[in-house]
Amino acid sequence: MSSLRLRRAAFAELTPFELYGLCRLRVDVFVVEQECPYPELDGRDTEPTTEHLWYEVDGTVAATIRVLDDGATRAIGRVATAAGHRGRGLAAKLMEEGIASYGGGPITLGAQAHLEGWYERFGFRRSGPGYVEDGIPHVPMRREPA
């Protein structure tokens, strides 16, 4: 990879170009690739306690996650990697970074069901019955502090 760079910022710290890159990647993956029209802009990105983490390669967003503050827990979501950057472990590195930053308390997430095993690698365990969100099977997962 050329110039891989880890970035993190609250919404208010994002430049318009960074915000566009993050939203573009998430829409490309979740709406276009997975053919799932859903409200990508859900209002949670702008919360002052939300943190966006991403990898840039040569100035382009290659992978991203966001970490939400849900009070007693943090929630990791919007885990996405651009098609041309998959297979390089970027999402895994972002998960590890998010856990390192927020793993002092419980972390939750809503995993697409086929990725349950992938999230288990990071210490997440199913925490309830499966459900369907926007036509895609999901499972709730939770990671307790070490």
Side-chain angles (χ1 to χ4, degrees), residues 46-114:
T46 63
E47 295 173 4
T49 54
T50 296
E51 186 170 47
H52 302 272
L53 288 81
W54 72 98
Y55 274 111
E56 272 182 6
V57 176
D58 297 331
T60 300
V61 177
T64 186
I65 67 172
R66 75 174 179 188
V67 182
L68 305 174
D69 183 346
D70 283 342
T73 64
R74 296 289 177 140
I76 292 178
R78 300 299 202 267
V79 180
T81 302
H85 294 285
R86 293 188 187 143
R88 300 176 182 175
L90 296 180
K93 290 177 186 174
L94 287 173
M95 289 296 296
E96 290 165 356
E97 187 71 28
I99 290 166
S101 297
Y102 300 106
I107 302 173
T108 63
L109 56 83
Q112 291 187 7
H114 72 279

Side-chain angles (χ1 to χ4, degrees), residues 16-143:
F17 298 101
E18 291 166 340
L19 176 61
Y20 178 86
L22 293 171
C23 290
R24 173 72 187 259
L25 172 59
R26 290 172 11 187
V27 167
D28 284 351
V29 171
F30 300 124
V31 179
V32 177
E33 183 180 323
Q34 295 182 359
E35 299 178 354
C36 181
Y38 78 107
E40 167 56 33
L41 301 177
D42 63 358
R44 304 267 349 238
D45 290 314
T46 63
E47 295 173 4
T49 54
T50 296
E51 186 170 47
H52 302 272
L53 288 81
W54 72 98
Y55 274 111
E56 272 182 6
V57 176
D58 297 331
T60 300
V61 177
T64 186
I65 67 172
R66 75 174 179 188
V67 182
L68 305 174
D69 183 346
D70 283 342
T73 64
R74 296 289 177 140
I76 292 178
R78 300 299 202 267
V79 180
T81 302
H85 294 285
R86 293 188 187 143
R88 300 176 182 175
L90 296 180
K93 290 177 186 174
L94 287 173
M95 289 296 296
E96 290 165 356
E97 187 71 28
I99 290 166
S101 297
Y102 300 106
I107 302 173
T108 63
L109 56 83
Q112 291 187 7
H114 72 279
L115 294 171
E116 182 176 358
W118 188 80
Y119 287 109
E120 286 175 344
R121 296 175 26 197
F122 306 102
F124 287 89
R125 298 293 174 256
R126 184 188 288 237
S127 58
Y131 58 96
V132 175
E133 182 175 308
D134 300 313
I136 298 173
H138 284 70
V139 293
M141 300 188 81
R142 183 178 175 101
R143 182 185 190 279

Side-chain angles (χ1 to χ4, degrees), residues 1-5 56-58 88:
M1 272 186 272
S2 303
S3 65
L4 179 66
R5 184 172 161 207
E56 272 182 6
V57 176
D58 297 331
R88 300 176 182 175

